[in-house]
């Protein structure tokens, strides 16, 4: 009887839980879904609460972690049983279980209690550990072959064929589980028994290989069989065998010939294990079909040299060479904690046009980064060439002057066996147009597919508004940002540069985070910066430092601190602050000791880069009235960074002397700055450029009683002098749009955002741009520095779109969107905005429409968060929420200026304001 009652109770409890409609999803470990081979000893776990219920708040969680799926299903948490932890944290919850060793696998699930009921256990998720010590790698030989072969050349235009590597292995027992741990430098494709492992391309992500090397881990259980197997890999050049060899060695860093290290760990059904490691018995040939692969110059593929079944059993490799033991690159092996690149999208070309010289111009209709897949027929030995460019000259031919010495040409040599389909393996291009040559017939549009390649990052933001120009700018930004994610944030994807410049992302990373889930990419990039720091504290202009540029600026190098702040603010990531604080502090001290003179920062390298110049044909302005003094830039920016360092010190409870020093130094700099640059008669700074005024205003350096007067100088410069146009460069634009709105001129910010005449983002759109240009005058400027796919001029535009126009902003008090600030500028000039953003807790939606005297605003707030909502009225009686009076929905109502401010818990709301 007691058992029957218990069963009824359990059934009723289950029914109550099921009926409350609250579930858990999006289980992640270190912001990754079921990651393999992590090397974080105390990984962080996250989950999302999914429900249609309103005002749902987590009150407690219970996490179970087990060493097998079976144990977890039986609730045997032999690794960690957190018990019921009464806290509302649902992101970045640290694992506090048993110490995990190399290659351990952890299965986990979670359930939570909320103010609306208890959930069931989530679905099972997992993570596995990587190889955690150098000692476990050192017996694995790095193998390669440090020699040129026929067709290979060094020099300015280096050519090196891909290495095809194979190793037959015999497994004498039935396989239960197998994982491969692989470092293939510079790029690799991995096969087992002829099957490609993984869907990644251009892997692994690039690093300074003398400092750290990323290994990838794959579960290959299903690819292995009892008996004969073959491991195959193709090694490409990537950034390891640099694109320019023995050319400007003082600048360009190279790392040697391609090489690899591999461990295959096999667990058999009887419980025994075997580890296969790379050694000198592995064989290779340099005479496969990939004859050249150079990121700048393109790939040459000779299909006549294909090696049928080379990565399967039974292939005769007797004439192949043995790999050699080679020197390891020097960097410490690390688990790759950010996704590889993938083919993320496809583009169908819009038109194909024959030229007067018999070639064809293919128009993709969109400037993109990736490559072209072709379908072709012809005779054995026919040569098809594809040359890539972003735009055309007036005569319809490719405009390639802005690509500098990049050859940007892929070549396919036919084997002559019917229809042949090909795409490159180890290169990518930035392009809209392709010149096709070598065809004996007119190719058709359906013979081509553009493959869009970037890091496997989720698109998390959408934006649409009543202004078509702003919508196209958003689309251009979307394409530009994703085109420049290449395992690191690069400046451009087309010319002989493609470098991870710090200054391009100082604020850019922040805006990008509203569109792409870029947390792991930028966490990795902070490590790149850390590893590139000199012993005395200097930070390079480019990281990884593939170009040896150490300019000791502030506005570029400050990206190290600004991106860390972005990761904290947008994702609630405290670890990046803890991990990087010592190195950021080291740089702060270094700059102070080297360049602080009379309490002003004297070092600047790039100025307010790319201000609109006085002539449409030039790149950099020479007009002193357009340029901002470098000492103004560096001193103001250094002051701003000191405020962030103070913030960081308080977050991680650093030594109180750090905070005291930041405070004391900040005050000295502010005093010296205002004494030297503030004109108390004109209420302007330095030469009264918008940048010279907006930086101290945005950073809180302007005396409070003078802020409005300084701001009016900005307004006058934009409205009267520049006739409603932008005049800032890379630095000033980072703070321009938000500052205009914060000081009450959102309408002027809207004017800048919606302009279609020069200089403006809309001018780019009007002139056919489908991405963001490097220069405001990108259609007329000297091609020496004129990329048509750069994102640095976006400044804070995307932040403004989301925070100030859509009203989706994370609270500084409760970062990571635990609390959302929803304060759109309804009066900037738009009649509707519809935006979404998927934060770590779930999807935030903001859709507002203005018609005459009525405002309708539909919002969604994710479970376990809340929002501070601002409405442009002080009359409570004018507000209805879900057709109810405001007082019945929210009790915390207050007035701030001309706004009513109140708190809403999670849910979907329709707000009407008359």
């Amino acid at each position: 009887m007691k058992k029957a009652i218990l069963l009824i109770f359990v059934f009723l409890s289950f029914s109550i839980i099921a009926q409350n409609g609250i579930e858990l999803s999006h289980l992640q470990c270190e912001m990754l879904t079921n990651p393999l081979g992590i090397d974080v000893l105390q990984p962080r776990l996250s989950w999302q609460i999914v429900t249609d219920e309103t005002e749902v708040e987590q009150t407690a969680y219970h996490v179970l972690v087990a060493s097998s799926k079976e144990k977890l299903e039986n609730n045997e948490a032999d690794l960690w049983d957190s018990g019921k932890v009464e806290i509302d944290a649902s992101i970045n919850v640290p694992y506090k279980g048993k110490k995990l060793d190399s290659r351990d696998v952890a299965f986990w699930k979670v359930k939570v209690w909320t103010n609306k009921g208890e959930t069931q256990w989530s679905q099972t998720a997992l993570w596995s550990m990587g190889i955690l010590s150098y000692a476990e790698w050192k017996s694995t030989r790095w193998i390669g072959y440090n020699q040129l072969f026929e067709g290979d050349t060094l020099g300015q235009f280096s050519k090196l064929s891909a290495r095809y590597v194979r190793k037959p292995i015999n497994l004498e027992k039935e396989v239960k589980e197998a994982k491969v741990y692989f470092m293939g430098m510079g790029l690799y494709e991995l096969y087992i028994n002829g099957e490609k492992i993984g869907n990644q391309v251009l892997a692994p992500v690039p690093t300074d290989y003398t400092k750290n090397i990323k290994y990838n881990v794959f579960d290959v259980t299903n690819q292995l069989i009892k008996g004969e197997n073959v491991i195959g890999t193709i090694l490409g050049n990537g950034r390891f065998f640099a694109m320019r060899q023995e050319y400007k060695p003082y600048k360009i860093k190279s790392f040697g010939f391609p090489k690899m290290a591999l461990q295959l760990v096999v667990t058999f059904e009887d419980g025994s294990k075997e580890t296969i490691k790379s050694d000198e018995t592995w064989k290779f040939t340099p005479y496969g079909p990939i004859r050249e692969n150079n990121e700048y110059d393109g790939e040459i593929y000779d299909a006549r040299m294909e090696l049928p079944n080379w990565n399967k059993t039974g292939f005769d490799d007797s004439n192949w060479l043995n790999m050699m033991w080679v020197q390891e690159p020097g960097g410490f092996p690390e688990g790759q904690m950010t996704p590889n690149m993938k083919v993320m999208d496809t583009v169908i070309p819009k038109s194909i046009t024959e030229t007067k010289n018999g070639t064809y111009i293919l128009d993709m209709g969109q400037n993109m980064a990736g490559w072209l897949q072709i379908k072709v027929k012809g005779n054995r030995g026919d040569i098809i060439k594809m040359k890539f460019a972003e735009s055309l000259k007036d005569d319809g031919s490719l405009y390639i002057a802005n690509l500098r010495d990049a050859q940007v040409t892929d070549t396919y040599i036919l084997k002559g066996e019917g229809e042949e389909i090909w795409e490159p393996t180890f290169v990518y291009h930035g392009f809209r147009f392709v010149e096709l040559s070598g065809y004996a017939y007119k190719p058709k549009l359906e013979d081509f597919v553009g493959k869009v390649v970037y890091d496997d990052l989720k698109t998390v933001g959408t934006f649409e508004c009543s202004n078509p120009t702003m919508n196209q700018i958003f689309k251009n930004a979307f394409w530009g940002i994703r085109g420049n994610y290449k395992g690191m944030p690069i400046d451009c994807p087309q010319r002989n540069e493609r470098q991870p410049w710090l200054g391009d992302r100082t604020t850019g990373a922040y805006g990008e985070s509203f569109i792409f889930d870029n947390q792991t990419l930028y966490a990795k990039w902070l490590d790149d910066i850390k590893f590139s720091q000199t012993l005395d504290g200097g930070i390079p202009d480019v990281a990884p430092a593939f170009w040896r540029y150490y300019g000791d600026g502030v506005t570029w190098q400050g990206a190290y601190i600004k991106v860390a702040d972005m990761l904290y603010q947008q994702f609630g990531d405290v670890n990046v602050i803890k991990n990087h604080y010592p190195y950021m502090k080291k740089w702060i001290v270094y700059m102070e000791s080297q360049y602080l003179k009379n309490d002003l920062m004297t070092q600047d390298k790039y100025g307010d880069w790319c201000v609109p110049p006085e002539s449409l044909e030039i790149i950099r302005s020479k007009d002193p009235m357009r340029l901002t003094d470098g000492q103004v830039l560096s001193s103001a920016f250094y002051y701003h960074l000191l405020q962030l360092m103070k913030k960081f010190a308080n977050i991680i409870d650093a030594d109180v002397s750090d905070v005291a020093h930041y405070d004391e130094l900040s005050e000295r700099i502010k005093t010296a700055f205002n004494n030297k640059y503030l004109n108390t008669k004109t209420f302007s700074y330095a030469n009264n450029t918008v940048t010279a005024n907006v930086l101290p205003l945005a950073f809180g350096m302007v005396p409070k009683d003078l802020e409005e007067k300084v701001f009016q100088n900005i307004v006058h410069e934009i409205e009267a002098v520049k006739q409603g146009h932008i005049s800032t460069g890379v630095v000033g634009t980072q703070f321009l749009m938000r500052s205009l709105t914060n000081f009450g001129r959102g309408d002027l910010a809207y004017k800048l955002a919606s302009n279609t005449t020069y200089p403006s983002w809309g001018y780019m759109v009007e002139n056919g741009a489908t991405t963001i240009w490097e220069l405001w005058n990108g259609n007329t400027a000297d091609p020496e520095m004129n990329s048509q796919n750069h994102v640095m001029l976006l400044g804070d535009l995307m932040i403004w779109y989301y925070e100030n126009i859509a009203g989706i902003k994370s609270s500084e008090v409760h970062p990571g969107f635990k609390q959302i600030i929803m304060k759109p500028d309804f009066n900037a000039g738009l009649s509707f905005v519809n935006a979404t953003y998927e934060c770590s807790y779930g999807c935030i939606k903001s859709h507002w429409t203005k018609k005459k005297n009525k405002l309708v605003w539909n919002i969604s707030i994710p479970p376990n968060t809340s929002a501070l909502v601002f409405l442009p009225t002080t009359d409570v009686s004018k507000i209805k929420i879900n057709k109810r009076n405001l007082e019945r929905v929210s009790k915390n109502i207050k007035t701030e200026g001309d706004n009513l401010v109140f708190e809403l818990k999670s849910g979907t709301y329709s707000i009407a304001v008359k």
Side-chain angles (χ1 to χ4, degrees):
M1 184 66 179
K2 288 181 179 179
K3 288 184 178 180
I5 293 172
L6 179 60
L7 287 172
I8 292 171
F9 175 76
V10 169
F11 175 77
L12 290 174
S13 299
F14 178 84
S15 299
I16 292 169
I17 294 169
Q19 288 171 10
N20 69 23
I22 303 175
E23 300 177 349
L24 300 176
S25 69
H26 294 82
L27 273 66
Q28 291 193 315
C29 173
E30 285 299 310
M31 292 64 70
L32 299 167
T33 302
N34 297 329
L36 301 180
I38 72 171
D39 54 9
V40 178
L41 300 180
Q42 192 178 28
R44 297 164 293 173
L45 309 177
S46 303
W47 53 87
Q48 287 184 8
I49 300 171
V50 180
T51 181
D52 291 329
E53 291 278 335
T54 59
E55 301 186 346
V56 174
E57 298 174 294
Q58 178 182 304
T59 58
Y61 69 76
H62 187 180
V63 174
L64 297 181
V65 186
S67 59
S68 72
K69 191 172 183 179
E70 294 72 25
K71 287 182 177 179
L72 189 67
E73 289 172 349
N74 293 323
N75 293 337
E76 297 178 28
D78 58 331
L79 296 178
W80 184 40
D81 183 340
S82 72
K84 184 177 181 180
V85 181
E86 295 186 351
I87 194 171
D88 65 352
S90 58
I91 65 170
N92 298 325
V93 174
Y95 167 78
K96 295 182 179 180
K98 293 181 181 177
K99 179 179 179 295
L100 298 175
D101 295 325
S102 294
R103 307 185 189 87
D104 280 352
V105 182
F107 298 86
W108 70 285
K109 61 183 179 181
V110 60
K111 72 174 179 178
V112 306
W113 288 261
T114 75
N115 58 334
K116 298 295 180 74
E118 177 185 348
T119 71
Q120 299 179 47
W121 286 106
S122 68
Q123 295 294 314
T124 298
L126 65 85
W127 79 86
S128 75
M129 304 303 291
I131 298 175
L132 302 180
S133 69
Y134 176 78
E136 294 174 271
W137 274 113
K138 69 179 182 181
S139 60
T140 303
R141 302 298 186 187
W142 278 93
I143 56 175
Y145 210 91
N146 297 338
Q147 180 179 316
L148 297 175
F149 291 89
E150 183 180 350
D152 297 339
T153 61
L154 298 178
Q156 180 174 353
F157 302 99
S158 61
K159 296 181 180 181
L160 191 73
S161 61
R163 270 64 167 146
Y164 288 72
V165 186
R166 71 189 307 270
K167 173 64 177 178
I169 59 173
N170 184 52
L171 302 177
E172 297 180 352
K173 304 174 186 179
E174 295 292 340
V175 175
K176 179 181 180 181
E177 182 184 34
K179 287 190 178 72
V180 63
Y181 304 77
F182 186 47
M183 293 181 283
M185 303 296 115
L187 304 172
Y188 73 83
E189 295 273 280
L190 178 64
Y191 301 86
I192 292 183
N193 295 329
E195 180 180 342
K196 182 184 173 183
I197 304 303
N199 58 5
Q200 72 286 342
V201 299
L202 303 176
V205 296
T207 61
D208 182 334
Y209 307 103
T210 64
K211 304 295 179 62
N212 63 321
I213 294 178
K214 301 296 186 181
Y215 59 83
N216 291 166
V217 181
F218 302 97
D219 187 323
V220 293
T221 305
N222 295 331
Q223 285 76 29
L224 291 171
I225 61 173
K226 179 181 178 181
E228 290 295 322
N229 297 266
V230 169
I231 305 171
T233 186
I234 312 173
L235 295 179
N237 300 328
R239 296 295 177 102
F240 197 83
F241 185 84
M243 295 78 78
R244 297 291 178 259
Q245 294 281 327
E246 299 183 356
Y247 175 74
K248 297 184 178 180
Y250 57 87
K251 167 185 171 182
I252 299 170
K253 195 167 187 178
S254 191
F255 304 88
F257 288 87
K259 58 186 67 175
M260 59 170 281
L262 177 145
Q263 288 189 15
L264 171 62
V265 180
V266 183
T267 302
F268 298 105
E269 290 288 356
D270 65 2
S272 61
K273 292 187 177 184
E274 181 179 356
T275 300
I276 292 107
K277 302 179 180 181
S278 51
D279 60 28
E280 77 284 5
T281 65
W282 291 49
K283 304 189 79 174
F284 87 102
T285 181
Y287 298 115
I290 301 178
R291 305 309 308 141
E292 174 186 342
N293 60 105
N294 183 304
E295 186 178 324
Y296 291 163
D297 299 332
E299 186 164 303
I300 298 176
Y301 188 95
D302 190 341
R304 300 169 301 177
M305 300 180 69
E306 287 179 344
L307 305 163
N309 300 318
W310 70 273
N311 48 18
K312 296 181 180 180
T313 58
F315 179 82
D316 181 8
D317 62 8
S318 58
N319 64 341
W320 286 28
L321 299 169
N322 281 78
M323 293 288 265
M324 299 177 62
W325 289 349
V326 294
Q327 181 67 46
E328 60 187 30
F332 192 85
E334 295 180 340
Q336 183 173 306
M337 303 294 292
T338 188
N340 279 309
M341 283 178 265
K342 281 174 49 178
V343 174
M344 298 292 287
D345 201 355
T346 57
V347 175
I348 305 303
K350 302 299 182 185
S351 67
I352 187 167
T353 306
E354 187 172 4
T355 67
K356 59 185 179 182
N357 60 3
T359 63
Y360 298 90
I361 298 294
L362 189 70
D363 181 1
M364 305 304 295
Q366 172 65 53
N367 198 2
M368 56 174 281
W371 54 68
L372 188 68
Q373 181 192 80
I374 65 171
K375 183 167 57 177
V376 63
K377 290 182 180 180
N379 298 318
R380 184 177 179 84
D382 284 355
I383 299 175
I384 302 297
K385 290 192 175 184
M386 294 144 276
K387 194 172 188 68
F388 299 85
E390 296 179 299
S391 58
L392 302 177
K393 294 191 288 190
D394 291 341
D395 65 0
S397 61
L398 295 185
Y399 176 75
I400 58 173
N402 66 331
L403 305 181
R404 301 173 181 166
D405 72 0
Q407 302 300 295
V408 296
T409 302
D410 288 344
T411 302
Y412 181 74
I413 304 173
L414 279 71
K415 56 189 172 185
E417 298 177 5
E419 185 176 89
E420 302 177 36
I421 298 175
W422 177 80
E423 60 191 85
T425 303
F426 293 129
V427 301
Y428 68 88
H429 305 281
F431 66 101
R432 172 174 172 173
F433 299 95
V434 189
E435 182 185 59
L436 307 166
S437 61
Y439 280 85
Y441 58 93
K442 182 176 181 178
K444 301 176 182 179
L445 285 178
E446 54 265 34
D447 295 340
F448 306 97
V449 178
K451 300 291 185 75
V452 182
V453 175
Y454 60 98
D455 297 49
D456 185 11
L457 304 178
K458 183 178 180 179
T459 300
V460 293
T462 63
F463 182 92
E464 183 184 15
C465 70
S466 56
N467 185 280
T469 297
M470 286 180 60
N471 292 337
Q472 186 61 47
I473 292 168
F474 180 84
K475 183 179 178 182
N476 288 9
F478 172 83
W479 278 92
I481 292 164
R482 69 174 179 169
N484 284 295
Y485 282 167
K486 294 292 178 283
M488 56 186 176
I490 60 172
D491 62 333
C492 60
Q494 76 295 93
R495 69 188 180 208
N496 66 345
E497 188 167 0
R498 313 184 193 197
Q499 296 297 326
W501 289 92
L502 273 66
D504 292 26
R505 292 327 204 282
T506 306
T507 296
Y510 186 177
E512 295 163 18
S513 71
F514 283 106
I515 305 174
F516 296 99
D517 182 6
N518 61 14
Q519 181 178 5
T520 58
L521 171 67
Y522 277 106
K524 177 263 182 188
W525 197 46
L526 289 186
D527 288 339
D528 292 335
I529 298 172
K530 176 188 74 174
F531 281 120
S532 66
Q533 188 172 36
T534 60
L535 289 177
D536 58 358
I539 290 174
D541 307 355
V542 172
F546 297 124
W547 286 4
R548 294 184 180 91
Y549 283 176
Y550 283 80
D552 279 352
V554 176
T555 55
W556 256 240
Q557 281 72 6
Y560 190 25
I561 294 171
K562 290 286 288 180
V563 172
D565 186 52
M566 179 278 287
L567 292 173
Y568 173 74
Q569 191 65 32
Q570 296 293 91
F571 301 99
D573 190 345
V574 178
N575 277 15
V576 294
I577 308 298
K578 292 179 179 177
N579 295 339
H580 290 277
Y581 180 82
Y583 306 95
M584 293 186 288
K585 177 183 173 182
K586 185 177 183 179
W587 176 75
I588 286 286
V589 172
Y590 167 79
M591 293 300 293
E592 178 187 357
S593 65
Q594 295 293 317
Y595 301 110
L596 194 71
K597 310 295 182 187
N598 298 318
D599 293 335
L600 292 172
M601 186 56 62
T602 58
Q603 175 69 3
D604 177 74
K605 184 174 181 180
Y606 298 107
D608 193 16
W609 191 248
C610 294
V611 298
E614 54 273 18
S615 169
L616 288 174
E617 291 74 35
I618 65 174
I619 295 172
R620 286 182 283 274
S621 174
K622 300 292 191 293
D623 180 0
M625 294 310 296
R626 294 171 184 263
L627 302 177
T628 305
D629 187 329
Q631 191 166 282
V632 171
L633 302 175
S634 57
S635 297
F637 221 92
Y638 191 72
Y639 174 89
H640 175 55
L641 297 176
L642 288 172
Q643 307 311 300
L644 292 180
M645 290 299 291
K646 176 183 175 180
K647 172 183 172 180
F648 295 168
N650 287 324
I651 289 169
I652 66 172
D653 292 326
D655 195 296
V656 292
S657 63
D658 285 4
V659 175
H661 179 67
Y662 301 143
D663 275 339
E664 186 267 340
L665 183 56
S666 297
E667 284 303 309
R668 284 167 38 204
I669 291 173
K670 182 164 70 172
T671 299
F673 187 86
N674 285 326
N675 286 342
K676 181 167 184 177
Y677 295 114
L678 176 59
N679 186 325
T680 54
K681 295 180 180 179
T682 61
F683 309 110
S684 63
Y685 282 85
N687 61 342
N688 197 31
T689 63
V690 170
T691 296
N693 289 319
V694 81
L695 293 186
L697 192 66
F699 300 157
M701 302 177 76
V702 181
K704 285 293 182 184
D705 60 330
L706 299 182
E707 284 185 341
E708 183 58 32
K709 293 179 179 179
V710 171
F711 179 66
Q712 287 307 317
N713 274 301
I714 296 173
V715 171
H716 181 266
E717 183 71 13
I718 295 173
E719 286 189 323
V721 179
K722 302 302 180 184
Q723 299 180 325
H725 289 83
I726 200 162
S727 62
T728 49
V730 169
V731 178
T733 310
Q734 295 177 34
F735 305 94
L736 178 62
M737 303 296 285
R738 289 171 293 171
S739 294
L740 289 173
T741 300
N742 291 342
F743 281 87
R745 289 302 306 270
D747 63 312
L748 190 52
Y750 170 69
K751 169 67 174 172
L752 296 181
S754 58
N755 269 340
T756 57
T757 52
Y758 176 81
S760 66
W761 298 286
Y763 175 77
M764 302 178 193
V765 171
E766 286 295 300
N767 285 273
T770 59
T771 45
I772 304 297
W773 294 342
E774 181 177 20
L775 303 173
W776 296 110
N777 54 330
N779 60 326
T780 58
D782 189 309
E784 178 188 348
M785 193 191 88
N786 196 357
S787 158
Q788 293 168 25
N789 190 352
H790 252 67
V791 293
M792 65 183 183
L793 285 183
L794 281 171
D796 66 349
L797 183 64
M798 292 297 104
I799 306 171
W800 180 80
Y801 268 39
Y802 280 90
E803 293 187 349
N804 298 104
I805 298 300
I808 300 175
K809 179 180 180 180
S810 178
S811 162
E812 292 187 8
V813 179
H814 304 286
F817 293 89
K818 179 67 173 170
Q819 184 185 56
I820 308 155
I821 307 299
M822 306 195 78
K823 187 182 180 182
D825 188 339
F826 297 108
N827 299 314
L830 293 165
S831 60
F832 86 85
V833 167
N834 188 8
T836 65
Y837 172 63
E838 187 169 339
C839 70
S840 300
Y841 295 93
C843 191
I844 305 168
K845 298 180 181 179
S846 174
H847 182 190
W848 58 262
T849 304
K850 278 183 64 177
K851 292 182 179 179
K852 293 184 178 179
N853 296 322
K854 187 176 182 180
L855 169 68
V856 177
W857 187 15
N858 296 316
I859 65 176
S860 292
I861 304 166
N864 207 31
T865 70
S866 64
L868 284 181
V869 179
F870 291 70
L871 292 178
T873 181
T874 57
D875 189 345
V876 176
S877 67
K878 291 184 176 182
I879 301 171
K880 295 286 186 182
I881 300 182
N882 294 343
K883 299 181 179 180
R884 302 166 66 195
N885 292 334
L886 173 59
E887 298 97 323
R888 297 186 62 187
V889 179
S890 177
K891 303 301 181 184
N892 303 314
I893 306 170
K894 60 182 181 178
T895 301
E896 286 189 15
D898 296 329
N899 295 290
L900 277 177
V901 185
F902 53 92
E903 184 181 50
L904 290 178
K905 302 294 185 180
S906 69
T908 298
Y909 302 91
S910 181
I911 304 172
V913 183
K914 293 182 180 180

